[in-house]
Amino acid sequence: MTSTISPAGAGSTAAPLPANAGGPATATGAPQPTPRWTRYAFGSQPRWVRPSAAALLVATAVLYLWNLAATGYGNSFYAAAIQAGTKDWTAFLFGSLDAGNAITVDKPPAALWIPALAGRMFGFSSLSMLVPEALMGVAAVGVLYLAVKRVSGPAAGLLAGGALALTPVAALMFKFNNPDAMLTLCLVLAAYFTIRAIERAGWKWLVAAGAVIGLAFLTKMLQGFLVVPALGLAYLWAAPTPIGRRLAHLMGALGGIIVVAGSYIALFQLTPASARPYMAGSTTNSFLELTFGYNGLARITGSGEGMPGGGAAGGPGGGFGGGNSGFGGAAGLLRMFGTSFGGEVSWLLPAALVLLVAGLWFTRREVRTSMGRASLILWGGWLLVTAGVFSFMSGIVHPYYSVALAPGIAALVGTGAVELWRGRASWPARIVLAATVLGTSIWSAVLLGRDAYWLPWLRIVVIVLGVLAAAGLLLRVDGLGTAGRFRRAGAAAVVVVSLLAGGLGAGAWTVATAASAHSGSIPTSGPAGSATGGFGNRAAGFRGDRTGGTDAATGTDRFDPANGFDPANGMGGAADGAGGPGGAGGPGEGTADAAVTALLSSTTTKWSAIVSGASQAASLELATNTNVIALGGWNGGDPYPTLAQFQDMVSKGEIGYYIQGGGMGGGMGGRGGNSEVAAWVQANFQAQTVGNSTVYDLAK
């Protein structure tokens, strides 16, 4: 496959419009200038390009904004931190879980900043928090379109953008308030800037890519660096300048990362501990420890299960340890295709891998500076490195992390499919394209078959479409007609059937994801009540395995609330979950007790209460609009506050109540300071029962 693509992205076979095309002829026969609105709408490119791009963005916005309010506060852990950022600038800057600035969330704060600013402008609410996340998704689709279009033309850009928009895990994360939406947008921006840099060895674009990677680090720490090898290799290989300058430019990109990420690290580390919140997830109140410990190497190696204090409880984006086989599947080469990750992101993954190999083979004789091959290196490296890390990491890993794979997969599919289509006169290109479409339809049917109760007929449809598309590609249906209009009709038919064969399954799963409400700390994609994905906590809570726990007549889960599983309320059976002031309500998600809510709402202290674990603290903050201290951070394992610090707060009258207990994300793996605080409270204050909780009034 020989590349015919210009750096400007004029890969389309259609001729561009001249500047004065389209205007009526004058009396002398010379065409009049094109009206301004026409030039704005179409530019110097085929008339369909800009309208189709606009349609892609509008459709993406409709999909991601649809039914958004049903998600509510989503992950209450991050929602509470966003609420805190709307009330206090210190909480905003450092990512505090509460506006009293006791302790942070266990991530950097960048993902909280835009929703918090929206909350300051429009008032904090579910929509002011989630609409920015959805718009980040629209922006990511648009930037990916532009990045692919510059190299492979508008058709490839549209296919790539559409593939990203219709990836189930993308629809999940861009309608939720985990940090992954911001992370994905940053990574796609960095790839776009790198492509611009490669075109003309533009070091400024490369520095901008480094700066955005630095922002990705401030969003989700070391995960933001997974694409760096691919971006760096693509530039080092293909930029049209001597090797010395290429290396110097890469040092400039590294400088961009250091300036953005390093400046915040320095700010945090140099700010006196008394003037900022405690760094959750660390044992030494250190941003660097969090970076290389709980959120770094521990996630890769599984040492201490990646949890502060060595506990096994999952964080807000964490797991339950034990190799995470319960959530991410067993580590290994096929993890991305397994029951946990497969339905999230693998619909087009086999196609992307095949098209990557084919693209590298067909471009093997191109010059070093070929933009087509550079894009394959960039997107292929993105996919291989990220998928490799996710597949073999033995620490905390969750299926929704795979949204970081989606842009690489989508770009490879868009680029590879369009380039093979252009070269379909060649038998090898035609065979690869036909096999890719047929294989994608079969894999879609396999993924759909993992939930035997949801649209079983769809599996048959996608396989039939795959067979028809493969036959049409192999037989050159688009070339059988003798007139141009018949050839165009044949080509259009093959393209439409191929797109349906490859995308109908993923698209249906994505639409079902968008239609379902999601909550808790470990959301999964798919239709409400689907059995795939393991511990996926939509609004319905814990979803069981339909192979042994479902009523075949009604399709409903048959868990016994008395034994701890209730489909209506999640884990714990009762509406208040597994105990504590808010219970568990789902994996890592609490529902505030009404009596406790009323009690805390009437307090006037700096913190209305202190409770073990961040999940319960977050739920109470959202319900009462007061500040609640999460004793021990997310899982009760952080050494904050110490007994001495707690006693000082109590002596100053800063805390209203101590609430005993804690469910998921609270009290599991607590350290000495946590238990010492509990023992001291029990020895010095009188217990009372409020609702379903045991409460101690610290003012008495």
Side-chain angles (χ1 to χ4, degrees), residues 596-609 624-628 654-657 697:
V596 174
T597 297
L599 178 68
L600 300 191
S601 297
S602 63
T603 60
T604 58
T605 51
K606 182 176 182 179
W607 290 284
S608 63
T624 64
N625 196 29
T626 63
N627 304 325
V628 179
E654 293 180 331
I655 308 176
Y657 296 93
D697 188 343

Side-chain angles (χ1 to χ4, degrees), residues 73-503:
Y73 288 127
N75 188 335
S76 65
F77 179 74
Y78 294 118
I82 291 168
Q83 181 190 51
T86 66
K87 297 193 289 186
D88 182 84
W89 285 112
T90 299
F92 175 91
L93 179 62
F94 293 111
S96 299
L97 182 63
D98 62 279
N101 295 301
I103 192 168
T104 70
V105 295
D106 55 5
K107 296 291 186 297
L112 309 174
W113 288 341
I114 294 178
L117 287 174
R120 282 182 173 269
M121 290 187 290
F122 303 109
F124 175 73
S125 67
S126 170
L127 286 179
S128 73
M129 177 181 67
L130 294 177
V131 167
E133 308 289 343
L135 295 181
M136 288 180 200
V138 177
V141 169
V143 174
L144 183 67
Y145 163 80
L146 293 174
V148 174
K149 174 177 177 287
R150 289 196 72 83
V151 176
S152 297
L158 288 171
L159 184 55
L164 174 58
L166 291 176
T167 299
V169 72
L172 175 69
M173 285 292 99
F174 289 127
K175 294 170 69 72
F176 207 66
N177 60 325
N178 277 13
D180 300 77
M182 178 79 167
L183 173 71
T184 305
L185 175 58
C186 288
L187 298 183
V188 176
L189 274 171
Y192 172 76
F193 291 155
T194 302
I195 288 172
R196 295 296 301 266
I198 293 172
E199 288 175 350
R200 293 183 175 85
W203 66 270
K204 294 180 181 179
W205 285 107
L206 203 61
V207 171
V212 175
I213 291 293
L215 186 59
F217 171 84
L218 295 181
T219 300
K220 215 173 178 190
M221 290 192 162
L222 296 183
Q223 188 180 339
F225 291 163
L226 291 182
V227 303
V228 170
L231 305 188
L233 180 60
Y235 189 85
L236 187 63
W237 180 276
T241 193
I243 184 66
R245 288 188 177 180
R246 277 176 270 160
L247 290 171
H249 293 174
L250 288 172
M251 290 300 102
L254 178 61
I257 296 175
I258 293 173
V259 167
V260 174
S263 60
Y264 185 84
I265 294 174
L267 171 67
F268 190 96
Q269 293 294 114
L270 295 176
T271 300
S274 60
R276 60 167 174 79
Y278 184 91
M279 185 74 255
S282 72
T283 59
T284 60
N285 197 8
S286 168
F287 192 97
L288 291 175
E289 183 196 342
L290 180 67
T291 301
F292 296 104
Y294 167 47
N295 277 339
L297 297 179
R299 301 257 174 171
I300 303 296
T301 65
S303 58
E305 297 302 346
M307 295 304 302
F320 288 88
N324 296 290
S325 59
F327 291 134
L333 187 63
L334 299 180
R335 177 185 265 178
M336 295 299 104
F337 301 94
T339 55
S340 294
F341 279 90
E344 304 292 333
V345 77
S346 75
W347 301 82
L348 297 176
L349 180 54
L353 293 172
V354 170
L355 293 171
L356 171 61
V357 173
L360 291 174
W361 172 257
F362 287 126
T363 60
R364 67 191 184 280
R365 294 191 178 92
E366 293 191 1
V367 296
R368 177 185 65 81
T369 56
S370 163
M371 286 299 298
R373 188 168 54 193
S375 71
L376 291 172
I377 293 172
L378 189 154
W379 300 115
W382 175 321
L383 172 60
L384 294 177
V385 172
T386 305
V389 171
F390 288 167
S391 294
F392 291 98
M393 62 190 292
S394 55
I396 294 170
V397 60
H398 285 303
Y400 68 78
Y401 291 2
S402 61
V403 68
L405 284 172
I409 294 172
L412 287 171
V413 168
T415 298
V418 170
E419 292 294 351
L420 287 175
W421 172 259
R422 290 171 182 158
R424 65 192 182 280
S426 164
W427 263 105
R430 201 153 69 243
I431 291 173
V432 172
L433 189 56
T436 301
V437 173
L438 180 59
T440 300
S441 69
I442 293 173
W443 179 241
S444 294
V446 171
L447 292 174
L448 291 169
R450 290 178 177 175
D451 188 335
Y453 291 85
W454 188 74
L455 301 183
W457 55 267
L458 188 57
R459 303 195 297 275
I460 300 173
V461 171
V462 296
I463 289 179
V464 171
L465 289 171
V467 172
L468 292 175
L473 289 165
L474 289 175
L475 298 176
R476 286 298 308 276
V477 170
D478 62 293
L480 294 180
T482 56
R485 63 185 179 185
F486 293 113
R487 288 196 297 271
R488 289 193 295 271
V494 172
V495 168
V496 169
V497 174
S498 298
L499 291 175
L500 290 173

Side-chain angles (χ1 to χ4, degrees), residues 599-600 602-610 646-647 649-659 680-681 684-688 695-700:
L599 178 68
L600 300 191
S602 63
T603 60
T604 58
T605 51
K606 182 176 182 179
W607 290 284
S608 63
I610 182 169
F646 176 70
Q647 289 172 333
M649 294 173 181
V650 173
S651 68
K652 293 178 180 177
E654 293 180 331
I655 308 176
Y657 296 93
Y658 175 90
I659 304 176
W680 184 78
V681 169
N684 291 277
F685 297 90
Q686 183 67 41
Q688 57 180 306
V695 177
Y696 295 83
D697 188 343
L698 300 181
K700 295 181 179 179

Side-chain angles (χ1 to χ4, degrees), residues 607-635:
W607 290 284
S608 63
I610 182 169
V611 60
S612 181
S615 176
Q616 284 68 40
S619 296
L620 289 170
E621 283 189 44
L622 293 170
T624 64
N625 196 29
T626 63
N627 304 325
V628 179
I629 297 177
L631 175 60
W634 166 257
N635 74 326

